[in-house]
Amino acid sequence: MSLPTTVTGIAQAVRRGQVSARAVTQAALDRIAARDAEIRAVTRLLTERALQMADALDACIVAGEDPGPLAGVPIGIKALFDIKGLPTTAGAAMRVDAPAAEDDAAVLQRLTGAGAIPVAVLNMDEYAYGFVTVNAHFGTTRNPRDTARLAGGSSGGSAAAVAAGMLPLTWGSDTNGSIRVPAALCGVWGFRPAHGSVPEEGSFPFVPMLDTLGPFAATLDDLETGLAVAMGRPVAPLSALSVARLDGWFVTHAIDAYEEIFSAIGRVLGTMPMAHLPRVEAARAAAFFITGHDGGRLHRAELAQRPLAFDPETRDRLLAGNLVPTDLRDRAADFGAWFRARALDLLDRYDVLLAPATPDVAPLIDNPVIHTGDGPAPARANLGMLAQPISLAGLPVLCAPVSRPGKLPLGLQLIGAPGREGALFDLAARLESGGVLGV
């Protein structure tokens, strides 16, 4: 029997004893060895631990035990998740000799408890501050769809590992778009859970008010399986009966190719109204102030003691964040509560809101510029301009790859109300069946 490649296929075959977890794990390690020198998605292999876990899982199956819905599934995790016995670098060279974590991160414990086998730690922007995964120490992660282009960030290693076929399921974090941006640019499925719906203990923080942890996958079903394990509950089935497209900011700052995409969506769903989310530009600014202030304060002591140990790009942004007054940050947080209420008002009228995930396709590594409604703009700061306002509202977002054969990937944000993730998966499945979405 040839080895299955999807989460569902692997778990079923391993649980039935048709393939061994060790064989699946070794195959993943072999794929990484063959491909990652070009992509640079992986910063550390967990070979010994992974093979030991695989052997233990195979023994459980022989003993008649059910190891869970992720049995034998090889996964990768962003470098800000704690792994017992290893330093948690959060993508920072200055942390490679940090004290070893005493336990796995809470969400990683859920995944391994369901049978998943972590095989790799994945690249990221230092301290998750960026949208490009250009890391002065661990290297630049290249986009598997076109290796001359950026993978996006800050969870770029997580998206690229899936897009390159190295792993079927990976994990990242999303503060201002760090799951949605690389998922869109690499053409894979990604999910930003509602704030607080996935445990964050044991992950290195960036901006606790906005941070979430979520999965990347090559298929929609695999994404849902991974998300359900992390949330500790199944995704409740819900129909997306009413769908609207966000207007204004989300139209102005997206390239023209999205108009073709929304026309294709209209052919599947019928007439789709436009919905207005007020003061989106202010929401982006508020998220920017909160991010700068909280991120800067988190690293303030290290910036004072050893500033040259930081990636220069990260250091400059953190230093600037320390200049944001606390009263301005608090006003931004108050505005965020108001903005979240307006978003929930819209979600009382519509089951799902649609918006582009990024303004443009993946930019070139040698010319990291994107096109926006205001003209060319630096990619590192602006790739998240359509994702960042939604972060401020703390909503669950499914980032879906748009079907564009022969063209660079784009992604779509499917935005819903907390606890109603099922409506997002329902709509994504309908649009995938209609040929609009899919890898």
Side-chain angles (χ1 to χ4, degrees):
M1 177 180 177
S2 60
L3 294 177
T5 58
T6 66
V7 169
T8 303
I10 291 167
Q12 287 181 349
V14 169
R15 291 164 81 184
R16 293 170 180 168
Q18 296 170 325
V19 298
S20 70
R22 172 174 267 268
V24 172
T25 301
Q26 186 61 60
L29 292 167
D30 292 344
R31 289 193 301 271
I32 292 170
R35 191 78 203 274
D36 194 57
E38 179 184 29
I39 303 300
R40 303 196 76 169
V42 175
T43 60
R44 180 192 288 267
L45 286 173
L46 306 173
T47 304
E48 184 177 356
R49 169 178 163 149
L51 292 174
Q52 288 176 353
M53 291 181 69
D55 289 342
L57 191 143
D58 286 333
C60 287
I61 291 170
V62 170
E65 301 174 18
D66 183 352
L70 298 179
V73 174
I75 65 171
I77 50 175
K78 190 175 181 176
L80 53 68
F81 288 75
D82 283 356
I83 302 172
K84 185 177 180 179
L86 296 177
T88 305
T89 68
M94 62 196 295
R95 289 189 55 82
V96 295
D97 295 320
E102 296 182 359
D103 208 343
D104 289 347
V107 70
L108 183 55
Q109 291 183 44
R110 287 190 175 181
L111 296 168
T112 56
I117 298 177
V119 301
V121 178
L122 304 172
N123 201 15
M124 59 183 286
D125 290 288
E126 185 180 79
Y127 292 125
Y129 210 164
F131 289 119
V132 290
T133 312
V134 173
N135 190 297
H137 180 73
F138 294 104
T140 295
T141 297
R142 294 178 176 270
N143 194 319
R145 309 298 183 188
D146 179 349
T147 56
R149 296 179 182 271
L150 292 165
S154 62
S155 307
S158 302
V162 172
M166 291 188 281
L167 295 168
L169 181 67
T170 62
W171 280 81
S173 67
D174 189 309
T175 301
N176 288 301
S178 288
I179 287 173
R180 290 161 286 164
V181 168
L185 300 187
C186 290
V188 300
W189 299 90
F191 200 95
R192 174 198 162 90
H195 188 70
S197 64
V198 171
E200 296 169 28
E201 295 82 6
S203 63
F204 197 97
F206 177 27
V207 184
M209 178 180 171
L210 304 175
D211 293 345
T212 58
L213 309 176
F216 296 83
T219 75
L220 182 61
D221 286 345
D222 289 353
L223 188 77
E224 183 175 351
T225 299
L227 178 66
V229 169
M231 292 195 301
R233 61 173 174 83
V235 176
L238 290 170
S239 296
L241 301 177
S242 55
V243 182
R245 176 186 177 185
L246 290 176
D247 66 7
W249 177 268
F250 299 97
V251 177
T252 301
H253 292 291
I255 59 174
D256 292 342
Y258 278 107
E259 294 307 315
E260 299 176 16
I261 294 165
F262 280 104
S263 293
I265 292 171
R267 290 192 288 272
V268 175
L269 301 181
T271 303
M272 183 170 50
M274 302 292 283
H276 183 67
L277 188 56
R279 304 196 64 191
V280 173
E281 187 172 6
R284 187 195 180 205
F288 178 83
F289 286 130
I290 294 166
T291 298
H293 178 280
D294 291 11
R297 297 308 191 274
L298 179 67
H299 296 282
R300 194 170 198 165
E302 292 277 23
L303 286 165
Q305 294 168 9
R306 46 177 184 160
L308 297 182
F310 286 82
D311 180 325
E313 292 270 2
T314 307
R315 180 184 63 238
D316 291 348
R317 299 182 81 185
L318 291 172
L319 287 170
N322 271 291
L323 300 177
V324 176
T326 298
D327 64 339
L328 179 58
R329 182 266 181 211
D330 292 344
R331 286 165 52 199
D334 290 342
F335 175 81
W338 177 89
F339 184 74
R340 174 181 169 85
R342 302 292 77 74
L344 291 174
D345 286 344
L346 269 187
L347 289 166
D348 282 339
R349 295 172 54 194
Y350 303 106
D351 296 313
V352 182
L353 302 172
L354 298 179
T358 58
D360 202 350
V361 298
L364 293 167
I365 294 171
D366 292 340
N367 184 30
V369 173
I370 59 170
H371 297 285
T372 74
D374 296 325
R380 184 168 190 146
N382 293 286
L383 271 168
M385 65 189 303
L386 303 181
Q388 197 164 18
I390 307 305
S391 295
L392 189 66
L395 303 173
V397 187
L398 194 162
C399 186
V402 177
S403 180
R404 284 164 49 88
K407 298 179 181 179
L408 290 170
L410 287 170
L412 197 67
Q413 293 185 89
L414 282 63
I415 306 159
R420 296 183 58 83
E421 298 87 359
L424 307 181
F425 282 93
D426 172 72
L427 179 60
R430 286 160 57 192
L431 293 176
E432 185 177 32
S433 295
V436 180
L437 302 182
V439 178

